[in-house]
Amino acid sequence: MTGISTHVLDTSLGRPAAGVPVELALHTEGGWKVLGASATDSDGRVADLPAAEAGSVVRLLFDTAAYYAGSAERPFFPEVSIVFTVAPAQHHYHVPLLLNPFGYSVYRGS
């Protein structure tokens, strides 16, 4: 099993994005099966997502509309979906999201 963690940084404010709902799902023949859900903490991090099986295809789904709901900004992307394959030799993946109301960037961290 491979651990998965993430964090979200609000690049428009220059600080962690607290309270962003995040869902981890597994791709199956029947569609997406939710493995777990959480929200970013005050440091923008999520460390309590379940592990995924090696060789599986998983999705991190960030509810950015919920994050921006209390602000004057209306996000262009109401959600961000990151899909990746879990390699057999990896013990952990850290997948950060850099977010602003009009764009985002994601990368495989360490």
Side-chain angles (χ1 to χ4, degrees):
M1 298 296 279
T2 301
I4 297 172
S5 62
T6 187
H7 74 270
V8 182
L9 301 174
D10 186 328
T11 58
S12 64
L13 299 176
R15 64 178 185 218
V20 179
V22 180
E23 175 185 281
L24 177 66
L26 172 70
H27 188 263
T28 68
E29 289 183 18
W32 292 101
K33 176 185 175 188
V34 175
L35 298 176
S38 190
T40 56
D41 62 17
S42 62
D43 197 33
R45 296 184 179 274
V46 174
D48 60 349
L49 293 171
E53 189 173 333
S56 62
V57 174
V58 296
R59 176 184 69 191
L60 283 171
L61 184 65
F62 300 85
D63 185 350
T64 55
Y67 172 68
Y68 286 110
S71 74
E73 294 290 343
R74 304 224 3 130
F76 183 71
F77 299 100
E79 66 181 25
V80 174
S81 176
I82 308 301
V83 178
F84 59 98
T85 301
V86 178
Q90 290 296 312
H91 297 292
H92 185 82
Y93 281 107
H94 184 65
V95 185
L97 173 67
L98 306 178
L99 179 65
N100 70 65
F102 306 105
Y104 64 89
S105 179
V106 65
Y107 61 98
R108 179 181 166 194
S110 56

